[in-house]
Amino acid sequence: MTSPNLVVVGSVAYDSIETDAQAQKDVLGGSATYFSLASRVLAPTGIVAVIGDDFKAEHKSLLANRGVDLAGLETAPGETFRWGGRYDSELKDRETLFTLLNVFADFSPKMPAGYRNAPYVFLANFDPELQLEVLNQCTGPRFVACDTMNFWIQGKLEPLLQLLPRIDALFLNDTEAYELTGQRNLLLAARWIQDHGTPIAVIKKGEHGAVIITRDDIVVVPAFLLPDVSDPTGAGDSFAGGMVGALARLDDTSPDALRLAAAVGTITASYCVQEFGPGRLASLDLAAIQERLATYWDRIHTPAKEL
Amino acid sequence: MTSPNLVVVGSVAYDSIETDAQAQKDVLGGSATYFSLASRVLAPTGIVAVIGDDFKAEHKSLLANRGVDLAGLETAPGETFRWGGRYDSELKDRETLFTLLNVFADFSPKMPAGYRNAPYVFLANFDPELQLEVLNQCTGPRFVACDTMNFWIQGKLEPLLQLLPRIDALFLNDTEAYELTGQRNLLLAARWIQDHGTPIAVIKKGEHGAVIITRDDIVVVPAFLLPDVSDPTGAGDSFAGGMVGALARLDDTSPDALRLAAAVGTITASYCVQEFGPGRLASLDLAAIQERLATYWDRIHTPAKEL
């Protein structure tokens, strides 16, 4: 029985994605897919998710061949979760064209025995009630991070608030942070999240990067500017995969480790968006992360000069 | 005759500003005001602008007492330029309520004799034809930066394109960069600007900071996160004032100087937005810039840790 160091619980899906430049149907997608294809470069990763009986063997192989542990990937009768979306011409905003939950509608995540004592756990964006159920199956993880979205803030606030004291880091975007906290300022929103029990607020700002705020530290990670962005799908999950993957690799959640991990997440997300779907993540290796990380530090480094 | 090291040509105005928290009429404003109140902390600054005969003596004193040279501040019969605007509840977007050009409508900038050989020149956002006329009055400045906006991109593209080969840095925001260049990507937009003759593209992203792109370097300066933002008016001009002021102070436009100067601009802009109007800039000193700069480098520093 394998015992991955890092477990992600989330979705495996088929996405139909449209941009001005191209459109593709049934692209391998889902939060657990993007997360694990980024994190597996950094730490042994297992996924807990559900697929339908239409899920292609080649996509299982794609994940397995990259070392993603599939012991927690359950197959249910019916079709795999499908999502369709269209991006605007600047690849910033997107419109959801359809969401067919299919087998994901009855998703009841079960941690395999070998996953329950995984030290690092990521609960991707799904129902906070189920996120709580996953936590109840874990035996004292060292670090739990959780993603959420407006839909749950509006519809499942109570279980979400129950979750906050039980996790170490909350991932959400800036508008979601404002909605959850009623604040209009990132620092005040982060204080609210901390006051409700989660010590680390990871606030994503899309093309502008992210901010990680703890009680004692503010880490600002601007995005890695690229000349070629093809498809933003999975950017947030591959950011989380890189970041939590780096923490698991370092087995360290100190301020310096968080700072390095956030930069690694920025880099994995930057690779993700350069190709349509998760293709670039599937071919990613540690050397590519290290190389771009060096360029990244160069772009934000403190100059030797003084005023 | 004074000979300031840095000359800003732009507007001095009275602004009427509304936010959810407060509203004030006839607040001292204008691009040259915000720029010079930031830059004078760093380098002797003179302004070229026009005011009406209603302009208050106390506001002239405010500028003069901070060491801003007013030899180029012309008084014309009539009223001072007035602008009114209202910010949304997140202090991001603003709606212009009125623009009364008044004496600014006939602004014909004249560089006083002592200003013509100033090594550093900033042409704030006004008619590109007049920006060209100012340049024709200068005798070989070392560094010229220029701001512009959608209004001139749409209405005065020809003189703006004539200006580009004659300046060192173009300041504009991301949507303006897209509009000017027809590109949808900051790196490609910067290449377009360079291909049209300006070596340094300074692309402002509001609350997200700025990116400075040269042929050889990409400098990313995220904004300095604050718990208390009162009024974004003047943020862009005080960023430019801090940045060009720092270059003038260092008398250096090397990559390291540009990087430091961009960070200084981020800091002066962060002080600017904390108070309504230009009040905080008026009380700013070098020690306050240095102090916040140290915190800023801490927030974006490269960790000692490696993957």
Side-chain angles (χ1 to χ4, degrees), chain A residues 23 34 38-40 46 68 121 145 147 154 159 199 203 220 248 261 263 277 295 299:
Chain A
Y34 280 102
S39 69
R40 55 95 204 174
V68 177
V121 175
D147 195 1
Q154 287 154 19
I203 300 172
V220 180
T295 306
R299 290 182 183 179

Side-chain angles (χ1 to χ4, degrees), chain B:
Chain B
M1 189 76 192
T2 51
S3 287
N5 208 17
L6 168 56
V7 170
V8 52
V9 186
S11 62
V12 171
Y14 282 129
D15 295 338
S16 292
I17 305 166
E18 296 177 29
T19 67
D20 277 6
Q22 58 178 312
Q24 287 188 27
K25 282 192 176 175
D26 287 349
V27 179
L28 178 62
S31 56
T33 300
Y34 280 103
F35 183 98
S36 65
L37 284 175
S39 68
R40 55 95 202 173
V41 181
L42 300 149
T45 303
I47 66 179
V48 174
V50 62
I51 50 176
D53 44 29
D54 62 338
F55 195 73
K56 291 181 185 160
E58 67 182 86
H59 289 139
K60 263 195 175 177
S61 302
L62 185 152
L63 293 165
N65 292 344
R66 269 77 186 175
V68 177
D69 191 283
L70 302 181
L73 185 65
E74 179 196 344
T75 305
E79 288 195 23
T80 300
F81 179 20
R82 274 175 172 72
W83 172 83
R86 173 164 180 77
Y87 289 92
D88 69 358
S89 57
E90 291 182 13
L91 297 172
K92 285 178 188 168
D93 296 319
R94 73 182 182 196
E95 178 195 355
T96 289
L97 300 176
F98 61 85
T99 304
L100 302 168
L101 290 176
N102 299 329
V103 296
F104 197 67
D106 299 313
F107 183 42
S108 171
K110 281 177 268 313
M111 297 281 270
Y115 284 23
R116 292 174 187 237
N117 58 356
Y120 290 81
V121 175
F122 186 74
L123 307 171
N125 168 35
F126 58 94
D127 187 337
E129 288 182 19
L130 296 180
Q131 290 176 321
L132 281 167
E133 281 184 24
V134 172
L135 276 191
N136 291 339
Q137 298 174 43
C138 296
T139 54
R142 202 164 304 151
F143 184 89
V144 179
C146 173
D147 195 0
T148 195
M149 70 181 292
N150 289 11
F151 185 74
W152 309 117
I153 293 168
Q154 287 154 20
K156 294 274 179 107
L157 186 59
E158 198 44 52
L160 184 56
L161 291 177
Q162 285 174 40
L163 196 65
L164 292 184
R166 297 185 60 186
I167 63 175
D168 299 281
L170 181 65
F171 283 65
L172 72 182
N173 72 32
D174 45 3
T175 57
E176 290 160 357
Y178 296 147
E179 181 157 356
L180 173 62
T181 66
Q183 302 291 332
R184 300 273 186 183
N185 175 288
L186 294 185
L187 294 179
L188 301 180
R191 292 292 167 263
W192 187 101
I193 290 166
Q194 287 153 5
D195 290 343
H196 285 74
T198 304
I200 304 170
V202 181
I203 299 172
K204 299 176 285 181
K205 303 196 297 170
E207 54 154 343
H208 302 291
V211 184
I212 292 86
I213 303 169
T214 68
R215 288 266 182 214
D216 305 314
D217 207 10
I218 297 175
V219 178
V220 180
V221 278
F224 185 87
L225 278 184
L226 294 161
D228 55 333
V229 176
S230 291
D231 172 16
T233 308
D237 292 308
S238 59
F239 168 75
M243 180 168 168
V244 184
L247 293 174
R249 178 183 186 82
L250 299 164
D251 196 16
D252 183 355
T253 57
S254 68
D256 244 21
L258 269 179
R259 185 173 292 276
L260 173 57
V264 172
T266 302
I267 300 306
T268 49
S270 77
Y271 278 115
C272 176
V273 302
Q274 282 185 287
E275 282 188 23
F276 223 84
R280 184 64 186 92
L281 290 179
S283 65
L284 194 64
D285 60 20
L286 196 59
I289 293 178
Q290 298 277 26
E291 185 194 344
R292 191 167 280 185
L293 197 54
T295 306
Y296 183 71
W297 295 132
D298 190 53
R299 289 183 183 178
I300 63 167
H301 80 263
T302 305
K305 225 171 191 36
E306 285 184 19
L307 258 191

Side-chain angles (χ1 to χ4, degrees), chain A residues 24-226:
Chain A
Q24 287 188 26
K25 283 191 176 176
D26 287 348
V27 179
L28 178 63
S31 56
T33 300
Y34 280 102
F35 182 99
S36 65
L37 284 174
S39 69
R40 55 95 204 174
V41 182
L42 300 149
T45 303
I47 66 179
V48 174
V50 61
I51 51 177
D53 44 29
D54 62 338
F55 195 73
K56 291 181 185 161
E58 68 183 86
H59 290 140
K60 264 195 178 178
S61 302
L62 184 151
L63 292 165
N65 291 344
R66 269 78 185 174
V68 177
D69 191 283
L70 302 182
L73 185 65
E74 179 195 345
T75 305
E79 289 195 22
T80 299
F81 179 19
R82 275 175 171 73
W83 172 84
R86 173 165 180 77
Y87 289 92
D88 69 358
S89 57
E90 291 181 13
L91 297 172
K92 285 178 191 168
D93 296 319
R94 72 182 183 196
E95 178 194 355
T96 289
L97 300 176
F98 60 85
T99 304
L100 301 168
L101 290 176
N102 298 329
V103 296
F104 197 66
D106 299 312
F107 183 41
S108 171
K110 281 178 268 313
M111 296 281 271
Y115 284 23
R116 292 173 187 235
N117 59 356
Y120 290 81
V121 175
F122 186 74
L123 306 172
N125 168 34
F126 57 96
D127 187 337
E129 288 182 20
L130 296 180
Q131 291 176 320
L132 280 168
E133 281 184 24
V134 173
L135 276 192
N136 291 339
Q137 298 173 43
C138 297
T139 53
R142 201 164 304 151
F143 184 90
V144 179
C146 173
D147 195 1
T148 195
M149 71 181 292
N150 289 10
F151 185 73
W152 309 117
I153 293 167
Q154 287 154 19
K156 293 274 180 108
L157 186 58
E158 199 43 53
L160 184 56
L161 292 177
Q162 286 174 40
L163 197 65
L164 293 184
R166 298 186 58 186
I167 64 175
D168 300 280
L170 181 66
F171 283 66
L172 72 183
N173 72 32
D174 44 5
T175 56
E176 290 159 356
Y178 297 146
E179 181 157 357
L180 173 63
T181 66
Q183 302 291 332
R184 299 274 186 183
N185 175 288
L186 294 185
L187 294 179
L188 302 181
R191 292 293 167 262
W192 187 100
I193 290 166
Q194 287 153 5
D195 289 344
H196 285 74
T198 304
I200 305 170
V202 181
I203 300 172
K204 298 177 285 181
K205 303 197 297 170
E207 56 154 342
H208 302 292
V211 184
I212 293 85
I213 303 169
T214 67
R215 288 265 182 213
D216 305 315
D217 207 11
I218 297 175
V219 177
V220 180
V221 279
F224 186 87
L225 279 184
L226 294 161

